Amino acid sequence: MKKIISISLLLIVPIFLFSQNKVWKSYSGDRIIEQKVDSVLSLMTVKEKIGQMSQFSANWSVTGPVMPDNFLPYLKKGLIGSIFNAVTVDGVREMQKIAVEKTRLGIPILFGYDVIHGYKTIFPIPLAEACSWDLDLMKQTARIAAEEATADGLSWTFAPMVDISRDPRWGRVMEGAGEDPFLGSQIAKARVEGFQGGKDWRSLKETNTILSCVKHFAAYGAAESGRDYNVAELSEHTLRNVYFPPYKTAIEAGAGTVMAAFNEVNGVPSTANYWLLTKVLREEWGFKGFVVTDYTGINELVPHGVAKDEKQAAMLALKAGNDMDMTGATYIKYLEGLFNEKKITEEQINVAVRRILEMKFLLGLFDDPYKYMDEDRSARTIRKPEFLETARKAVARSLVLLKNDKQLLPIEKNKHTKVALLGPMMKNSINLNGEWQGRGDRNKSVSIYKGLMDVYKNSNVKFDYAKGCEIDGFTSKSIDEAVKVAEKSDVLLVAVGEDFNWSGEAACRTNIQLPEGQQKLLKALKKTGKPIALLILSGRPLDISWEAQNIDAIVQVWFPGSQGGYGVADVVSGDYNPSGKLVMSFPRNVGQIPVYYNQKPTGRPVDLKNPTVDYKSRYIDASITSLFPFGYGLSYTTFSIKNLKLDTSVLRPNGRIVATVDVTNTGEREGEVVVQMYCRDLVGSTTRPIKELKGFQKINLKPQEKRQVQFVITPELLKYYGINHKKVIEPGDFKLWISQNSADTTNVADFSYKE
Ligand code: BGC
């Protein structure tokens, strides 16, 4: 504590003692904070400054090559700005104590962690949660994650991941919000607000808010052939119109940090990309927080082939705009030498350090470096019953009902039904959290079997069980046993899917069908003639063309997290009427990938009513449409959308159009529907997508209830980055649809924009 006091006394040193910097624009814009930052900076040696720009992993959980350097000597010398993967109040406190009490200046450490979809209470994977289209829910789960993580010593999460993903082979689709920039942006905002507690920088000072990190800037999700870390080969047009919007929105929502991506963009790896990290991020978008590289991103500039050695890589990274080096130890090793050789300036170092110190001030770490380290709070907070309840709610809302022939689902509790519970995922707990499970305990996750037993406890439904096969393996005997159980039952409920570590980082697949044993099991069960309801657990959209044709009911469960079994049982039983809608289109086969709804038209578009006409942009062996489109998902009730009306058909620069529709619950159950508005700009200075989501509302309706839903269309909503990469709306005609999914064309209207 002594050192902290000495620093705070120095903070009153008048500002005129310090050279005024022109390059640094603070995140808070607050003069007092700026003065405090400059005061600390003025005390630091070049070496100490570079230390602040270095982050090390405690290696308690790692996601890449472990660096040979043991970070402790650096910590003891006050040469570390941040540590990640250090967990538990005790563990974190021990390191903070060294930094604060045993080093010359006592600057507190920023502790980071990948809190992606929960910390101890694990929520559905982000891709699943996005399917809820429920922004309040996503904000709430991010808040809970922040509550838990900060109660365990952490101050920084490497989330949200907002990379647009169009390729389900890429394992990291599980971490994002799918293929759409509009929805992706709204979700990015909700998550940033949830983590940081709001846009105002003052909320960072609360003990239960966590600094967020928008990643991976930029276009990491565009990895060619769905292979992780691969080149993102994109035009600036697509970058600006498709990939950039969620990062930009997250920054506008106040995200304090940004992570550079591993991949190259425009021939230059993001980590060395000045255009990306400085021109676009700071000069165009006005980002004022700090940039951290991804794990060893600087070292990787050597194998990328843009730096001859790590020293040059460190120089390129600093000049491009990276303030902190994650685990690579390149800044700590080479920046001082580069400075002495006059290859970089002290001002370049100062700017980065100011950005990092400012965040530490805003979080309140200089006032109390131990503020997140409180065992009592930790015991009171982690896995609180309310948190588990929210997680259960999130599961039920994330599930997507893809097919439900003859209303096989729900399996009503009051009916005398014999149900065979089958499949390798039925009693499985360890897969439910999916990848990036924070500090979740895989053994504590509620299996689907357990959830069903609980929810159907006092019901008339009788269950029998057989596993049938392993996730990746089978014997004829195990399949026969499942068939025997099936034959004695009225309905088969089969839980299948991928192992959790088949998605996530460095987990890409070229075959995205169910493994052979699971397919054999399903085919054997199909022969029994019994109705089958399938629950699919996966971290990506799978190729389920066979299943879609041959199975009666399908629920896409994704990886549902620690309360998974309960949420699934809530949907199977009808206690919750499913309302999830896909945020990534499902392909018919791998050859179609990427298949996404907001594609460009081509000069030879296929007429979907007459799709086999020759010399059109099509396949001769498959349809060009997806198996299940973006926005799609069924309910146990039905809805109609009718009477689309626009209050005017001409939009003016300062004007707006109000579109209204009547939405009716036409079925027998209460339920939620996501009313989706899509637009098409018919003629532009560049080609425009055949459809773009421009609004949505999730509403709850009682049976037969009708409600009018309104959308407001403004010129701002329709703007895009045109031929000169500037945001424009061009005069001309537009089409508008209000529908239940991206392929539904029943309600269409025309309008035009006139200057
Ligand atoms: C991942 C990042 C993650 C980092 C730290 C990297 O390999 O790409 O998303 O935040 O590791 O765990």
Side-chain angles (χ1 to χ4, degrees):
M1 259 326 191
K2 207 172 103 263
K3 286 286 164 36
I4 286 288
I5 292 162
S6 65
I7 283 200
S8 38
L9 286 177
L10 279 156
L11 298 178
I12 54 172
V13 175
I15 186 68
F16 59 78
L17 286 184
F18 312 112
S19 63
Q20 289 293 301
N21 73 84
K22 305 236 169 17
V23 190
W24 182 48
K25 291 196 182 69
S26 70
Y27 172 89
S28 60
D30 185 275
R31 285 299 286 156
I32 309 280
I33 304 271
E34 288 169 5
Q35 287 177 12
K36 287 181 177 180
V37 167
D38 274 336
S39 299
V40 175
L41 191 79
S42 72
L43 303 174
M44 297 171 78
T45 61
V46 169
K47 209 187 216 39
E48 283 165 338
K49 289 177 186 173
I50 294 167
Q52 282 304 303
M53 298 162 68
S54 304
Q55 184 191 53
F56 287 89
S57 168
N59 293 341
W60 296 350
S61 57
V62 287
T63 56
V66 177
M67 294 309 291
D69 303 83
N70 180 336
F71 68 93
L72 270 178
Y74 293 120
L75 181 63
K76 289 182 180 152
K77 286 187 212 143
L79 298 180
I80 290 190
S82 170
I83 294 175
F84 79 111
N85 286 339
V87 282
T88 73
V89 168
D90 279 349
V92 172
R93 184 189 289 117
E94 202 184 308
M95 294 185 198
Q96 191 70 304
K97 235 173 144 78
I98 301 176
V100 171
E101 295 175 27
K102 303 267 187 306
T103 69
R104 196 178 79 86
L105 292 173
I107 299 175
I109 298 284
L110 187 58
F111 289 97
Y113 201 74
D114 289 289
V115 185
I116 308 293
H117 54 113
Y119 183 66
K120 284 292 235 180
T121 302
I122 306 304
F123 300 102
I125 55 169
L127 182 67
E129 226 186 44
C131 293
S132 71
W133 296 53
D134 185 337
L135 300 172
D136 289 340
L137 178 74
M138 288 180 257
K139 191 164 162 179
Q140 205 184 341
T141 60
R143 271 247 39 77
I144 293 173
E147 290 261 5
E148 288 192 341
T150 54
D152 214 24
L154 300 169
S155 34
W156 186 18
T157 173
F158 305 128
M161 186 276 218
V162 305
D163 304 317
I164 293 293
S165 344
R166 292 171 158 181
D167 191 331
R169 293 171 298 182
W170 191 50
R172 298 195 80 169
V173 301
M174 52 105 8
E175 248 182 281
E179 72 192 29
D180 185 64
F182 181 86
L183 180 62
S185 298
Q186 309 260 330
I187 292 176
K189 178 170 179 280
R191 289 189 168 141
V192 168
E193 288 174 353
F195 286 132
Q196 295 198 173
K199 192 178 163 154
D200 188 337
W201 55 269
R202 288 170 195 85
S203 59
L204 284 174
K205 206 158 186 172
E206 303 292 329
T207 309
N208 62 359
T209 59
I210 197 162
L211 180 63
S212 69
C213 181
V214 181
K215 67 188 190 185
H216 306 80
F217 190 61
Y220 183 40
E224 212 170 72
S225 24
R227 174 157 57 82
D228 212 357
Y229 317 122
N230 202 6
V231 174
E233 187 55 57
L234 296 161
S235 62
E236 186 172 340
H237 171 81
T238 302
L239 263 177
R240 288 191 182 274
N241 286 300
V242 180
Y243 287 86
F244 278 172
Y247 308 110
K248 185 164 184 283
T249 310
I251 288 158
E252 285 160 4
T257 69
V258 168
M259 188 183 291
F262 284 129
N263 55 282
E264 70 164 72
V265 170
N266 244 334
V268 183
S270 303
T271 317
N273 200 318
Y274 177 79
W275 176 75
L276 211 52
L277 300 185
T278 298
K279 284 295 210 202
V280 173
L281 184 64
R282 294 200 182 270
E283 294 178 15
E284 269 188 47
W285 299 354
F287 174 65
K288 300 191 188 72
F290 75 82
V291 175
V292 63
T293 70
D294 203 348
Y295 206 105
T296 60
I298 303 181
N299 317 63
E300 293 173 25
L301 297 179
V302 178
H304 263 298
V306 295
K308 67 176 186 309
D309 54 25
E310 290 189 350
K311 185 172 176 186
Q312 192 194 0
M315 183 181 75
L316 290 176
L318 179 72
K319 288 190 171 173
N322 296 277
D323 303 304
M324 188 180 276
D325 171 5
M326 181 189 277
T327 71
T330 63
Y331 278 4
I332 200 79
K333 283 187 193 153
Y334 304 113
L335 286 194
E336 201 179 2
L338 288 162
F339 166 69
N340 291 334
E341 291 160 29
K342 300 205 174 2
K343 297 215 167 103
I344 57 169
T345 65
E346 186 159 8
E347 192 47 28
Q348 282 168 329
I349 293 172
N350 285 350
V351 171
V353 179
R354 282 189 181 102
R355 289 172 184 151
I356 295 163
L357 290 177
E358 184 187 16
M359 283 305 159
K360 294 188 177 185
F361 272 108
L362 297 182
L363 289 164
L365 285 171
F366 279 96
D367 295 333
D368 179 4
Y370 302 104
K371 62 181 282 198
Y372 304 106
M373 297 154 207
D374 171 350
E375 279 89 351
D376 288 346
R377 189 183 146 220
S378 175
R380 279 196 317 273
T381 308
I382 286 177
R383 284 176 68 90
K384 250 200 239 184
E386 303 95 278
F387 293 174
L388 299 179
E389 212 28 62
T390 304
R392 176 176 185 160
K393 204 172 128 188
V395 177
R397 281 154 183 76
S398 302
L399 266 45
V400 186
L401 180 65
L402 295 176
K403 187 175 175 190
N404 197 17
D405 280 2
K406 298 194 198 119
Q407 298 194 317
L408 180 58
L409 290 174
I411 301 171
E412 305 282 2
K413 289 185 200 167
N414 58 2
K415 289 204 183 131
H416 292 271
T417 315
K418 279 193 276 173
V419 180
L421 302 180
L422 308 166
M425 288 295 185
M426 188 52 79
K427 281 196 173 176
N428 188 303
S429 297
I430 59 158
N431 278 289
L432 295 203
N433 288 356
E435 266 295 0
W436 296 112
Q437 61 140 3
R439 292 201 59 232
D441 180 346
R442 293 195 183 278
N443 296 311
K444 278 199 184 150
S445 296
V446 179
S447 70
I448 296 175
Y449 186 87
K450 177 162 182 353
L452 290 167
M453 292 306 126
D454 211 78
V455 165
Y456 283 90
K457 205 167 16 192
N458 299 315
S459 74
N460 294 327
V461 177
K462 295 270 167 297
F463 294 109
D464 206 347
Y465 169 78
K467 191 173 191 183
C469 65
E470 301 300 322
I471 292 176
D472 198 13
F474 69 100
T475 60
S476 307
K477 187 163 164 268
S478 64
I479 292 182
D480 287 350
E481 276 164 13
V483 168
K484 279 197 194 102
V485 170
E487 276 162 351
K488 290 185 287 179
S489 309
D490 306 316
V491 175
L492 317 183
L493 185 61
V494 193
V496 296
E498 297 183 296
D499 199 280
F500 78 87
N501 54 31
W502 295 357
S503 58
E505 185 171 352
C508 305
R509 299 178 66 199
T510 58
N511 176 353
I512 56 168
Q513 292 180 334
L514 287 171
E516 188 193 353
Q518 300 193 42
Q519 288 190 31
K520 280 205 161 25
L521 173 67
L522 290 180
K523 282 175 185 155
L525 295 175
K526 167 92 181 154
K527 284 201 192 124
T528 65
K530 304 280 177 170
I532 305 176
L534 195 61
L535 305 170
I536 302 179
L537 282 79
S538 64
R540 56 164 62 77
L542 296 176
D543 165 358
I544 50 167
S545 289
W546 184 87
E547 291 77 4
Q549 221 169 24
N550 292 283
I551 303 290
D552 309 275
I554 303 177
V555 181
Q556 178 63 37
V557 175
W558 311 106
F559 288 119
S562 52
Q563 305 311 102
Y566 293 136
V568 171
D570 289 340
V571 165
V572 169
S573 63
D575 283 356
Y576 180 76
N577 184 357
S579 62
K581 308 289 163 201
L582 294 180
V583 296
M584 262 188 99
S585 306
F586 272 48
R588 293 177 189 275
N589 59 45
V590 168
Q592 268 191 326
I593 297 171
V595 60
Y596 47 91
Y597 87 96
N598 46 353
Q599 40 184 281
K600 292 295 191 66
T602 84
R604 296 189 178 192
V606 172
D607 175 1
L608 291 178
K609 292 194 195 95
N610 207 356
T612 53
V613 175
D614 226 350
Y615 295 101
K616 296 288 182 187
S617 180
R618 69 181 187 104
Y619 300 108
I620 54 173
D621 61 350
S623 159
I624 62 159
T625 62
S626 58
L627 183 63
F628 296 110
F630 175 86
Y632 174 84
L634 303 172
S635 161
Y636 295 152
T637 187
T638 46
F639 298 94
S640 79
I641 300 182
K642 284 193 177 138
N643 300 331
L644 169 57
K645 287 194 189 80
L646 307 185
D647 66 343
T648 164
S649 59
V650 179
L651 182 63
R652 298 281 178 185
N654 294 316
R656 56 181 218 161
I657 294 180
V658 178
T660 52
V661 282
D662 294 331
V663 185
T664 313
N665 180 341
T666 47
E668 308 296 312
R669 271 174 195 264
E670 181 171 348
E672 288 155 289
V673 57
V674 180
V675 186
Q676 304 163 33
M677 178 176 77
Y678 296 89
C679 288
R680 177 168 180 182
D681 181 354
L682 292 177
V683 181
S685 57
T686 72
T687 59
R688 306 288 293 117
I690 57 171
K691 241 178 203 189
E692 290 177 289
L693 183 72
K694 288 291 176 188
F696 63 91
Q697 289 177 43
K698 187 166 186 172
I699 58 166
N700 185 81
L701 294 175
K702 299 229 155 41
Q704 306 307 314
E705 186 183 345
K706 175 162 136 183
R707 191 164 329 148
Q708 193 174 69
V709 172
Q710 281 196 346
F711 290 94
V712 176
I713 301 127
T714 60
E716 190 54 38
L717 188 67
L718 302 173
K719 281 187 181 161
Y720 79 107
Y721 290 86
I723 193 88
N724 298 318
H725 306 311
K726 293 275 174 296
K727 221 174 169 188
V728 287
I729 171 166
E730 294 156 335
D733 295 335
F734 289 77
K735 267 198 188 309
L736 176 147
W737 296 263
I738 296 185
S739 55
Q740 297 193 51
N741 65 64
S742 62
D744 170 3
T745 52
T746 35
N747 295 287
V748 57
D750 299 299
F751 68 93
S752 53
Y753 174 73
K754 290 189 181 150
E755 281 176 343

